[in-house]
Amino acid sequence: MTRTIERYNPRVEEPRWQKQWDERQSFVVRNDDPRERYYVLEMFPYPSGRIHMGHVRNYTMGDVLARYKRARGMNVLHPMGWDAFGLPAENAAMQNKVPAKDWTYANIATMRKQLKSIGLALDWSREFATCDVEYYEQQQKLFLDFLEAGLVTRKKSKVNWDPVDMTVLANEQVIDGRGWRSGAVVEQRELTQWFLKVSDYSEDLLSALDTLDRWPDKVRTMQRNWIGKSEGLRLLFEVAPNDKTRAASIEVFTTRPDTIFGASFIALSADHPLAAEIAAGNTEVANFIAEAHRHGTAAETLEKLEKLGVPTGIYVKHPVKDGETLPVYVANFVLMDYGTGAIFGCPAHDQRDFEFASRYGLPIIPVVLPPDADPVTFALDGEAYSGPGRIYNSGFLDGLSIEDAKKKIAAYFGSRAVDNRQQGTIEVNYRLRDWGISRQRYWGCPIPVIHCETCGTIPVPKKDLPVKLPDDVTFDKPGNALDHHPTWKHTTCHQCGGPATRETDTMDTFVDSSWYFARFTDPKADDPTVPGVANNWLPVDQYIGGVEHAILHLLYSRFFTRAMHKTGHLGMDEPFKGLFTQGMVVHETYRADGEWISPAEVEISASEAGRTAKRRDTGAPIEIGSIEKMSKSKKNVVDPDEIVATYGADTARWFMLSDSPPERDVQWTEAGIEGASRFLQRVWKIVQECKFLA
RNA sequence: GCGGGCGUGAUGGAAUGGUAGACAUACGGGACUUAAAAUCCCGAGGGUGUAGACCCGUGUGGGUUCGAGUCCCACCGCCCGCACCA
């Protein structure tokens, strides 16, 4: 008897199975399925044009989990959608004269086909794109509900302005003083903006991190730092009589009120109102402020600035040393947008204050004695001491621990008054700010409000939603194409019937991705969610994505879940029970004559002597460079389509999962994918032999 | 500076405190072939030895333990995030 065992041919087998899954709707999930539920979600893609290997890795991980849970008899929700608003569509519209909408949906069609060829167990019946009118209409409803619930404010504020993208950026989107997308140096501008009141939840967002025990510590720590809680004392210093200002007091924020006996100066931010007032009659101060502004944001990219300041000529009374005064400076290292924009300097126990005091000859008075140090001989060794110890040189605080001294001095100042106010108030400060969501862009969710000359700025009634984006926009002028549209913004006021204009700002695209996981639970519903359904599925049991979203997307989503809870759309506060941050896909880089070379053009030969590379066509030598994240700019990308065509999706998936632990970077190599391919062939052969024997 | 993580063959990496290096890649040798590819088999951490075997090996130095890659302490190096936050 003869038999032949054929080689596994993914080009036949994979499409056959994928067709069956499609026809039988194998992965379509029903909300009324009584089995135990499991929700696995990977961060949805931006439809940039084509999927990349990072997508393959991300979605394969989720897929394995989804299939495993399904095999264990669970009802598994594993959906897919598109984070489809954003600037690249507008850029494409400008450069290629393709409407942003067409460009986006064409990309989605391509990428959907690619994802299907990967063989993912996805419920495609729930697919949506955030630029679908049906989706952003629901988002507009959410905005109105948030507005009604007091979670939205409109205020004039200094904003980060990206001069290249011509739009506002959230603090989270400014990296080293540059726009996260354009890389342009960010400017400060004063604009009226819509804000979501994330700061209402500062404490809750912080403390609830402790409950997220299936999140990586790294991400929790990053969020903790970002929220930036500090407990301290808001403290008034009484201004000594002078002719330079009528201000009676200066308010500072400090986390170290226990060191008040070591205070030797007050420093104001260059943006402090009092500094501006003094500058009006003091050219030295005015020049210093101008200089500080000139450095401003741009200098943040340079190495640490020297601690510089200028005396204002004003003095304040020392709050605990009768008859003594402290000089008031304007200093370049004091930030206006944290605390009160003013500090008291205790040089002995704060490194910045130490440098400042050393430069300007101000007293350095140690008031914290390190354990085992001698109070008589202890001296600072060229830098501030910020470690543990006991208070000394401090009158009625002497001998106390730092913690006890903080309590005692807070009580002391709490019982005194300056400028007709309580001198010291315990205060908790957060670094977290409200989220400015206004963007001066066309391709985003319109903010559903109108500006009426008579009635003011008022929300569009829900019955008039959606506020639809026009399709016929042009990009011949810089700035917001919506604003330039000839008719779109002109409307009538629903209250008074008079003329009104629409808000032309659209929402930050991070809004779109802050609740999509909830929409997947019932993507066709007439409301943002059907709470009975959403609460059954959420929170997401396992969320998988890149660590680059550790702050922005994940923090905003946590806020949104709380806000949707408050407005009755959801019944929980945390969206993601488990979070997994997968590593990147990296690849060697290749260079010749200063140009990056694509791996497809490179032939590698290896021997005991090592690996060498040459051009596949000409045979010219190529330098093997460092291993980097796959990126178009370095050309070290491998196209998933080609891999699937050559080796099949399962080989690509197997390699992605087997070569490196999922949380670490995986290095894509030709040899690795070959090995994975051979491995699968062997497995297939064994399976065939078992079938034959059976 | 603060925080998180990592350090094991040529390489990616395995190892509930119990035979370190699974599996894979690369490399070398062999079988098959006119030849190559594919496939299959063998070798392989380093050192000494004809061999049986022995010694040394998980960044460095200590410690706990019958036993440490794993736990504890100190240090060195690398990666990532945040950072003039008072």
Side-chain angles (χ1 to χ4, degrees), chain A residues 221 254-255 307 333 335 338 352 678:
Chain A
T221 306
T254 177
T255 56
K307 309 284 178 282
F333 65 95
L335 307 171
Y338 188 80
R352 293 157 309 180
R678 279 198 289 276

PDB file of all heavy atoms in Angstrom, chain A residues 221 254-255 307 333 335 338 352 678, chain B residues 3 12 14 27 39 81 84-86:
ATOM      1  N   THR A 221       2.283  52.880  37.444  1.00  0.00           N
ATOM      2  CA  THR A 221       3.213  53.873  37.950  1.00  0.00           C
ATOM      3  C   THR A 221       3.231  55.121  37.079  1.00  0.00           C
ATOM      4  O   THR A 221       3.246  56.242  37.574  1.00  0.00           O
ATOM      5  CB  THR A 221       4.631  53.275  38.005  1.00  0.00           C
ATOM      6  OG1 THR A 221       4.580  52.075  38.752  1.00  0.00           O
ATOM      7  CG2 THR A 221       5.601  54.237  38.637  1.00  0.00           C
ATOM      8  N   THR A 254       3.683  74.488  49.367  1.00  0.00           N
ATOM      9  CA  THR A 254       4.865  73.725  49.749  1.00  0.00           C
ATOM     10  C   THR A 254       4.464  72.355  50.260  1.00  0.00           C
ATOM     11  O   THR A 254       3.429  72.202  50.903  1.00  0.00           O
ATOM     12  CB  THR A 254       5.694  74.454  50.829  1.00  0.00           C
ATOM     13  OG1 THR A 254       6.795  73.629  51.197  1.00  0.00           O
ATOM     14  CG2 THR A 254       4.847  74.743  52.071  1.00  0.00           C
ATOM     15  N   THR A 255       5.315  71.362  49.944  1.00  0.00           N
ATOM     16  CA  THR A 255       5.098  70.033  50.531  1.00  0.00           C
ATOM     17  C   THR A 255       6.005  69.864  51.753  1.00  0.00           C
ATOM     18  O   THR A 255       5.963  68.824  52.394  1.00  0.00           O
ATOM     19  CB  THR A 255       5.412  68.915  49.520  1.00  0.00           C
ATOM     20  OG1 THR A 255       6.751  69.080  49.059  1.00  0.00           O
ATOM     21  CG2 THR A 255       4.447  68.934  48.361  1.00  0.00           C
ATOM     22  N   LYS A 307      19.760  77.843  37.404  1.00  0.00           N
ATOM     23  CA  LYS A 307      18.749  78.494  38.239  1.00  0.00           C
ATOM     24  C   LYS A 307      19.076  79.978  38.323  1.00  0.00           C
ATOM     25  O   LYS A 307      20.040  80.373  38.978  1.00  0.00           O
ATOM     26  CB  LYS A 307      18.757  77.886  39.640  1.00  0.00           C
ATOM     27  CG  LYS A 307      18.677  76.374  39.654  1.00  0.00           C
ATOM     28  CD  LYS A 307      17.271  75.870  39.360  1.00  0.00           C
ATOM     29  CE  LYS A 307      17.247  74.368  39.329  1.00  0.00           C
ATOM     30  NZ  LYS A 307      17.772  73.808  38.071  1.00  0.00           N
ATOM     31  N   PHE A 333      12.921  79.011  37.505  1.00  0.00           N
ATOM     32  CA  PHE A 333      12.621  77.588  37.699  1.00  0.00           C
ATOM     33  C   PHE A 333      11.279  77.363  38.406  1.00  0.00           C
ATOM     34  O   PHE A 333      10.952  76.240  38.774  1.00  0.00           O
ATOM     35  CB  PHE A 333      13.760  76.894  38.460  1.00  0.00           C
ATOM     36  CG  PHE A 333      13.973  77.362  39.870  1.00  0.00           C
ATOM     37  CD1 PHE A 333      13.392  76.686  40.929  1.00  0.00           C
ATOM     38  CD2 PHE A 333      14.757  78.484  40.134  1.00  0.00           C
ATOM     39  CE1 PHE A 333      13.589  77.115  42.231  1.00  0.00           C
ATOM     40  CE2 PHE A 333      14.956  78.913  41.430  1.00  0.00           C
ATOM     41  CZ  PHE A 333      14.376  78.233  42.486  1.00  0.00           C
ATOM     42  N   LEU A 335       7.300  77.255  38.181  1.00  0.00           N
ATOM     43  CA  LEU A 335       6.255  77.111  37.171  1.00  0.00           C
ATOM     44  C   LEU A 335       4.976  77.796  37.631  1.00  0.00           C
ATOM     45  O   LEU A 335       4.587  77.677  38.781  1.00  0.00           O
ATOM     46  CB  LEU A 335       5.947  75.629  36.943  1.00  0.00           C
ATOM     47  CG  LEU A 335       7.131  74.738  36.616  1.00  0.00           C
ATOM     48  CD1 LEU A 335       6.699  73.282  36.628  1.00  0.00           C
ATOM     49  CD2 LEU A 335       7.712  75.121  35.266  1.00  0.00           C
ATOM     50  N   TYR A 338       1.693  75.234  38.354  1.00  0.00           N
ATOM     51  CA  TYR A 338       1.656  74.246  39.428  1.00  0.00           C
ATOM     52  C   TYR A 338       1.616  74.984  40.754  1.00  0.00           C
ATOM     53  O   TYR A 338       2.342  75.957  40.943  1.00  0.00           O
ATOM     54  CB  TYR A 338       2.867  73.324  39.374  1.00  0.00           C
ATOM     55  CG  TYR A 338       2.745  72.186  40.363  1.00  0.00           C
ATOM     56  CD1 TYR A 338       1.969  71.083  40.065  1.00  0.00           C
ATOM     57  CD2 TYR A 338       3.335  72.270  41.615  1.00  0.00           C
ATOM     58  CE1 TYR A 338       1.801  70.066  40.986  1.00  0.00           C
ATOM     59  CE2 TYR A 338       3.176  71.256  42.537  1.00  0.00           C
ATOM     60  CZ  TYR A 338       2.406  70.154  42.220  1.00  0.00           C
ATOM     61  OH  TYR A 338       2.232  69.152  43.123  1.00  0.00           O
ATOM     62  N   ARG A 352      17.230  72.520  44.093  1.00  0.00           N
ATOM     63  CA  ARG A 352      17.083  73.720  43.253  1.00  0.00           C
ATOM     64  C   ARG A 352      17.311  74.976  44.077  1.00  0.00           C
ATOM     65  O   ARG A 352      18.020  75.891  43.666  1.00  0.00           O
ATOM     66  CB  ARG A 352      15.690  73.759  42.622  1.00  0.00           C
ATOM     67  CG  ARG A 352      15.440  72.688  41.619  1.00  0.00           C
ATOM     68  CD  ARG A 352      13.974  72.463  41.496  1.00  0.00           C
ATOM     69  NE  ARG A 352      13.391  72.272  42.845  1.00  0.00           N
ATOM     70  CZ  ARG A 352      12.137  72.057  43.088  1.00  0.00           C
ATOM     71  NH1 ARG A 352      11.272  72.039  42.114  1.00  0.00           N
ATOM     72  NH2 ARG A 352      11.711  71.871  44.314  1.00  0.00           N
ATOM     73  N   ARG A 678       8.983  25.635   8.818  1.00  0.00           N
ATOM     74  CA  ARG A 678       9.370  24.212   8.863  1.00  0.00           C
ATOM     75  C   ARG A 678       8.706  23.517  10.033  1.00  0.00           C
ATOM     76  O   ARG A 678       8.250  22.385   9.935  1.00  0.00           O
ATOM     77  CB  ARG A 678      10.895  24.082   8.975  1.00  0.00           C
ATOM     78  CG  ARG A 678      11.595  24.244   7.648  1.00  0.00           C
ATOM     79  CD  ARG A 678      13.004  23.672   7.717  1.00  0.00           C
ATOM     80  NE  ARG A 678      13.903  24.473   8.524  1.00  0.00           N
ATOM     81  CZ  ARG A 678      14.558  25.552   8.068  1.00  0.00           C
ATOM     82  NH1 ARG A 678      14.401  25.937   6.819  1.00  0.00           N
ATOM     83  NH2 ARG A 678      15.364  26.221   8.852  1.00  0.00           N
TER      84      ARG A 678
ATOM     85  P     G B   3      12.425  55.739  43.559  1.00  0.00           P
ATOM     86  OP1   G B   3      11.937  55.202  44.837  1.00  0.00           O
ATOM     87  OP2   G B   3      13.827  55.513  43.136  1.00  0.00           O
ATOM     88  O5'   G B   3      11.486  55.208  42.403  1.00  0.00           O
ATOM     89  C5'   G B   3      10.082  55.305  42.526  1.00  0.00           C
ATOM     90  C4'   G B   3       9.424  54.982  41.220  1.00  0.00           C
ATOM     91  O4'   G B   3       9.917  55.879  40.186  1.00  0.00           O
ATOM     92  C3'   G B   3       9.722  53.607  40.642  1.00  0.00           C
ATOM     93  O3'   G B   3       8.994  52.589  41.283  1.00  0.00           O
ATOM     94  C2'   G B   3       9.314  53.813  39.192  1.00  0.00           C
ATOM     95  O2'   G B   3       7.913  53.856  39.042  1.00  0.00           O
ATOM     96  C1'   G B   3       9.868  55.218  38.932  1.00  0.00           C
ATOM     97  N9    G B   3      11.236  55.151  38.366  1.00  0.00           N
ATOM     98  C8    G B   3      12.430  55.406  38.988  1.00  0.00           C
ATOM     99  N7    G B   3      13.459  55.248  38.186  1.00  0.00           N
ATOM    100  C5    G B   3      12.898  54.851  36.982  1.00  0.00           C
ATOM    101  C6    G B   3      13.507  54.525  35.738  1.00  0.00           C
ATOM    102  O6    G B   3      14.706  54.530  35.438  1.00  0.00           O
ATOM    103  N1    G B   3      12.570  54.175  34.771  1.00  0.00           N
ATOM    104  C2    G B   3      11.215  54.141  34.976  1.00  0.00           C
ATOM    105  N2    G B   3      10.471  53.767  33.934  1.00  0.00           N
ATOM    106  N3    G B   3      10.630  54.439  36.121  1.00  0.00           N
ATOM    107  C4    G B   3      11.520  54.785  37.068  1.00  0.00           C
ATOM    108  P     G B  12      20.229  37.417  21.719  1.00  0.00           P
ATOM    109  OP1   G B  12      20.077  38.844  22.041  1.00  0.00           O
ATOM    110  OP2   G B  12      20.815  36.485  22.698  1.00  0.00           O
ATOM    111  O5'   G B  12      18.797  36.844  21.308  1.00  0.00           O
ATOM    112  C5'   G B  12      18.004  37.541  20.354  1.00  0.00           C
ATOM    113  C4'   G B  12      16.693  36.839  20.184  1.00  0.00           C
ATOM    114  O4'   G B  12      16.902  35.533  19.593  1.00  0.00           O
ATOM    115  C3'   G B  12      15.952  36.531  21.464  1.00  0.00           C
ATOM    116  O3'   G B  12      15.277  37.668  21.960  1.00  0.00           O
ATOM    117  C2'   G B  12      15.009  35.419  21.015  1.00  0.00           C
ATOM    118  O2'   G B  12      13.933  35.952  20.281  1.00  0.00           O
ATOM    119  C1'   G B  12      15.921  34.629  20.077  1.00  0.00           C
ATOM    120  N9    G B  12      16.595  33.538  20.792  1.00  0.00           N
ATOM    121  C8    G B  12      17.811  33.585  21.406  1.00  0.00           C
ATOM    122  N7    G B  12      18.148  32.450  21.970  1.00  0.00           N
ATOM    123  C5    G B  12      17.079  31.611  21.710  1.00  0.00           C
ATOM    124  C6    G B  12      16.878  30.255  22.076  1.00  0.00           C
ATOM    125  O6    G B  12      17.617  29.510  22.720  1.00  0.00           O
ATOM    126  N1    G B  12      15.654  29.783  21.606  1.00  0.00           N
ATOM    127  C2    G B  12      14.754  30.523  20.883  1.00  0.00           C
ATOM    128  N2    G B  12      13.631  29.900  20.521  1.00  0.00           N
ATOM    129  N3    G B  12      14.934  31.784  20.537  1.00  0.00           N
ATOM    130  C4    G B  12      16.112  32.260  20.978  1.00  0.00           C
ATOM    131  P     A B  14      11.860  33.362  27.862  1.00  0.00           P
ATOM    132  OP1   A B  14      10.565  33.991  28.057  1.00  0.00           O
ATOM    133  OP2   A B  14      12.961  33.642  28.818  1.00  0.00           O
ATOM    134  O5'   A B  14      11.583  31.809  27.789  1.00  0.00           O
ATOM    135  C5'   A B  14      12.566  30.947  28.141  1.00  0.00           C
ATOM    136  C4'   A B  14      12.072  29.555  28.099  1.00  0.00           C
ATOM    137  O4'   A B  14      13.095  28.772  27.484  1.00  0.00           O
ATOM    138  C3'   A B  14      11.859  28.988  29.497  1.00  0.00           C
ATOM    139  O3'   A B  14      10.504  29.037  29.822  1.00  0.00           O
ATOM    140  C2'   A B  14      12.428  27.582  29.407  1.00  0.00           C
ATOM    141  O2'   A B  14      11.478  26.676  28.903  1.00  0.00           O
ATOM    142  C1'   A B  14      13.540  27.772  28.364  1.00  0.00           C
ATOM    143  N9    A B  14      14.830  28.193  28.921  1.00  0.00           N
ATOM    144  C8    A B  14      15.441  29.417  28.814  1.00  0.00           C
ATOM    145  N7    A B  14      16.634  29.478  29.364  1.00  0.00           N
ATOM    146  C5    A B  14      16.808  28.193  29.861  1.00  0.00           C
ATOM    147  C6    A B  14      17.864  27.593  30.553  1.00  0.00           C
ATOM    148  N6    A B  14      18.984  28.218  30.865  1.00  0.00           N
ATOM    149  N1    A B  14      17.724  26.295  30.904  1.00  0.00           N
ATOM    150  C2    A B  14      16.596  25.659  30.573  1.00  0.00           C
ATOM    151  N3    A B  14      15.536  26.112  29.931  1.00  0.00           N
ATOM    152  C4    A B  14      15.707  27.405  29.597  1.00  0.00           C
ATOM    153  P     C B  27      24.028  29.072   8.626  1.00  0.00           P
ATOM    154  OP1   C B  27      24.612  29.721   7.442  1.00  0.00           O
ATOM    155  OP2   C B  27      22.998  28.019   8.466  1.00  0.00           O
ATOM    156  O5'   C B  27      25.190  28.464   9.525  1.00  0.00           O
ATOM    157  C5'   C B  27      26.315  29.255   9.873  1.00  0.00           C
ATOM    158  C4'   C B  27      27.218  28.493  10.818  1.00  0.00           C
ATOM    159  O4'   C B  27      26.497  28.145  12.030  1.00  0.00           O
ATOM    160  C3'   C B  27      27.699  27.143  10.315  1.00  0.00           C
ATOM    161  O3'   C B  27      28.755  27.264   9.382  1.00  0.00           O
ATOM    162  C2'   C B  27      28.130  26.462  11.607  1.00  0.00           C
ATOM    163  O2'   C B  27      29.348  26.987  12.085  1.00  0.00           O
ATOM    164  C1'   C B  27      27.006  26.921  12.547  1.00  0.00           C
ATOM    165  N1    C B  27      25.923  25.917  12.596  1.00  0.00           N
ATOM    166  C2    C B  27      26.092  24.798  13.424  1.00  0.00           C
ATOM    167  O2    C B  27      27.137  24.668  14.073  1.00  0.00           O
ATOM    168  N3    C B  27      25.111  23.860  13.470  1.00  0.00           N
ATOM    169  C4    C B  27      24.000  24.019  12.761  1.00  0.00           C
ATOM    170  N4    C B  27      23.071  23.069  12.853  1.00  0.00           N
ATOM    171  C5    C B  27      23.799  25.147  11.907  1.00  0.00           C
ATOM    172  C6    C B  27      24.779  26.070  11.857  1.00  0.00           C
ATOM    173  P     U B  39      13.144  21.420   5.197  1.00  0.00           P
ATOM    174  OP1   U B  39      12.068  21.929   6.076  1.00  0.00           O
ATOM    175  OP2   U B  39      14.542  21.848   5.406  1.00  0.00           O
ATOM    176  O5'   U B  39      13.119  19.830   5.221  1.00  0.00           O
ATOM    177  C5'   U B  39      11.904  19.120   5.044  1.00  0.00           C
ATOM    178  C4'   U B  39      12.181  17.650   4.952  1.00  0.00           C
ATOM    179  O4'   U B  39      13.030  17.374   3.797  1.00  0.00           O
ATOM    180  C3'   U B  39      12.977  17.072   6.106  1.00  0.00           C
ATOM    181  O3'   U B  39      12.161  16.807   7.232  1.00  0.00           O
ATOM    182  C2'   U B  39      13.557  15.804   5.485  1.00  0.00           C
ATOM    183  O2'   U B  39      12.580  14.783   5.389  1.00  0.00           O
ATOM    184  C1'   U B  39      13.904  16.296   4.078  1.00  0.00           C
ATOM    185  N1    U B  39      15.301  16.777   3.983  1.00  0.00           N
ATOM    186  C2    U B  39      16.304  15.831   3.812  1.00  0.00           C
ATOM    187  O2    U B  39      16.078  14.636   3.758  1.00  0.00           O
ATOM    188  N3    U B  39      17.580  16.331   3.729  1.00  0.00           N
ATOM    189  C4    U B  39      17.950  17.651   3.787  1.00  0.00           C
ATOM    190  O4    U B  39      19.138  17.949   3.686  1.00  0.00           O
ATOM    191  C5    U B  39      16.859  18.572   3.960  1.00  0.00           C
ATOM    192  C6    U B  39      15.603  18.124   4.052  1.00  0.00           C
ATOM    193  P     G B  81      10.998  56.041  26.252  1.00  0.00           P
ATOM    194  OP1   G B  81      10.284  56.477  25.046  1.00  0.00           O
ATOM    195  OP2   G B  81      12.356  56.552  26.530  1.00  0.00           O
ATOM    196  O5'   G B  81      10.103  56.356  27.518  1.00  0.00           O
ATOM    197  C5'   G B  81       8.742  55.937  27.559  1.00  0.00           C
ATOM    198  C4'   G B  81       8.186  56.164  28.931  1.00  0.00           C
ATOM    199  O4'   G B  81       8.935  55.401  29.905  1.00  0.00           O
ATOM    200  C3'   G B  81       8.296  57.584  29.451  1.00  0.00           C
ATOM    201  O3'   G B  81       7.326  58.434  28.906  1.00  0.00           O
ATOM    202  C2'   G B  81       8.132  57.365  30.951  1.00  0.00           C
ATOM    203  O2'   G B  81       6.784  57.098  31.278  1.00  0.00           O
ATOM    204  C1'   G B  81       8.953  56.094  31.145  1.00  0.00           C
ATOM    205  N9    G B  81      10.342  56.404  31.511  1.00  0.00           N
ATOM    206  C8    G B  81      11.458  56.344  30.718  1.00  0.00           C
ATOM    207  N7    G B  81      12.549  56.686  31.349  1.00  0.00           N
ATOM    208  C5    G B  81      12.125  56.999  32.639  1.00  0.00           C
ATOM    209  C6    G B  81      12.853  57.428  33.774  1.00  0.00           C
ATOM    210  O6    G B  81      14.061  57.635  33.880  1.00  0.00           O
ATOM    211  N1    G B  81      12.023  57.640  34.878  1.00  0.00           N
ATOM    212  C2    G B  81      10.664  57.448  34.878  1.00  0.00           C
ATOM    213  N2    G B  81      10.025  57.700  36.020  1.00  0.00           N
ATOM    214  N3    G B  81       9.970  57.034  33.824  1.00  0.00           N
ATOM    215  C4    G B  81      10.758  56.832  32.752  1.00  0.00           C
ATOM    216  P     C B  84      10.271  69.490  34.334  1.00  0.00           P
ATOM    217  OP1   C B  84       9.302  70.356  33.689  1.00  0.00           O
ATOM    218  OP2   C B  84      11.433  69.004  33.568  1.00  0.00           O
ATOM    219  O5'   C B  84      10.805  70.160  35.672  1.00  0.00           O
ATOM    220  C5'   C B  84      11.640  69.422  36.557  1.00  0.00           C
ATOM    221  C4'   C B  84      12.220  70.371  37.587  1.00  0.00           C
ATOM    222  O4'   C B  84      13.095  71.279  36.895  1.00  0.00           O
ATOM    223  C3'   C B  84      11.165  71.186  38.310  1.00  0.00           C
ATOM    224  O3'   C B  84      11.386  71.111  39.716  1.00  0.00           O
ATOM    225  C2'   C B  84      11.400  72.621  37.827  1.00  0.00           C
ATOM    226  O2'   C B  84      11.241  73.551  38.866  1.00  0.00           O
ATOM    227  C1'   C B  84      12.864  72.565  37.424  1.00  0.00           C
ATOM    228  N1    C B  84      13.251  73.483  36.384  1.00  0.00           N
ATOM    229  C2    C B  84      14.512  74.064  36.521  1.00  0.00           C
ATOM    230  O2    C B  84      15.225  73.767  37.498  1.00  0.00           O
ATOM    231  N3    C B  84      14.932  74.924  35.577  1.00  0.00           N
ATOM    232  C4    C B  84      14.132  75.205  34.545  1.00  0.00           C
ATOM    233  N4    C B  84      14.585  76.045  33.639  1.00  0.00           N
ATOM    234  C5    C B  84      12.844  74.618  34.396  1.00  0.00           C
ATOM    235  C6    C B  84      12.452  73.771  35.337  1.00  0.00           C
ATOM    236  P     C B  85      10.984  69.791  40.496  1.00  0.00           P
ATOM    237  OP1   C B  85      11.557  69.951  41.834  1.00  0.00           O
ATOM    238  OP2   C B  85      11.227  68.569  39.714  1.00  0.00           O
ATOM    239  O5'   C B  85       9.400  69.976  40.580  1.00  0.00           O
ATOM    240  C5'   C B  85       8.817  70.808  41.579  1.00  0.00           C
ATOM    241  C4'   C B  85       7.461  70.241  41.932  1.00  0.00           C
ATOM    242  O4'   C B  85       6.546  70.672  40.911  1.00  0.00           O
ATOM    243  C3'   C B  85       7.467  68.714  41.946  1.00  0.00           C
ATOM    244  O3'   C B  85       7.216  68.122  43.199  1.00  0.00           O
ATOM    245  C2'   C B  85       6.574  68.281  40.763  1.00  0.00           C
ATOM    246  O2'   C B  85       5.650  67.291  41.109  1.00  0.00           O
ATOM    247  C1'   C B  85       5.886  69.570  40.330  1.00  0.00           C
ATOM    248  N1    C B  85       5.937  69.717  38.865  1.00  0.00           N
ATOM    249  C2    C B  85       4.761  69.613  38.117  1.00  0.00           C
ATOM    250  O2    C B  85       3.706  69.406  38.701  1.00  0.00           O
ATOM    251  N3    C B  85       4.829  69.748  36.777  1.00  0.00           N
ATOM    252  C4    C B  85       5.997  69.965  36.174  1.00  0.00           C
ATOM    253  N4    C B  85       6.017  70.088  34.859  1.00  0.00           N
ATOM    254  C5    C B  85       7.201  70.068  36.910  1.00  0.00           C
ATOM    255  C6    C B  85       7.121  69.932  38.241  1.00  0.00           C
ATOM    256  P     A B  86       6.434  68.276  44.283  1.00  0.00           P
ATOM    257  OP1   A B  86       6.417  67.093  45.139  1.00  0.00           O
ATOM    258  OP2   A B  86       5.207  68.896  43.793  1.00  0.00           O
ATOM    259  O5'   A B  86       7.293  69.353  45.083  1.00  0.00           O
ATOM    260  C5'   A B  86       6.671  70.135  46.055  1.00  0.00           C
ATOM    261  C4'   A B  86       7.556  71.305  46.347  1.00  0.00           C
ATOM    262  O4'   A B  86       8.002  71.900  45.112  1.00  0.00           O
ATOM    263  C3'   A B  86       6.858  72.447  47.069  1.00  0.00           C
ATOM    264  O3'   A B  86       6.801  72.224  48.456  1.00  0.00           O
ATOM    265  C2'   A B  86       7.720  73.622  46.699  1.00  0.00           C
ATOM    266  O2'   A B  86       8.894  73.637  47.482  1.00  0.00           O
ATOM    267  C1'   A B  86       8.063  73.312  45.261  1.00  0.00           C
ATOM    268  N9    A B  86       7.118  73.949  44.333  1.00  0.00           N
ATOM    269  C8    A B  86       5.769  74.129  44.473  1.00  0.00           C
ATOM    270  N7    A B  86       5.203  74.762  43.472  1.00  0.00           N
ATOM    271  C5    A B  86       6.256  75.001  42.615  1.00  0.00           C
ATOM    272  C6    A B  86       6.333  75.641  41.370  1.00  0.00           C
ATOM    273  N6    A B  86       5.273  76.167  40.752  1.00  0.00           N
ATOM    274  N1    A B  86       7.529  75.728  40.773  1.00  0.00           N
ATOM    275  C2    A B  86       8.587  75.205  41.403  1.00  0.00           C
ATOM    276  N3    A B  86       8.651  74.580  42.573  1.00  0.00           N
ATOM    277  C4    A B  86       7.439  74.505  43.132  1.00  0.00           C
TER     278        A B  86
END
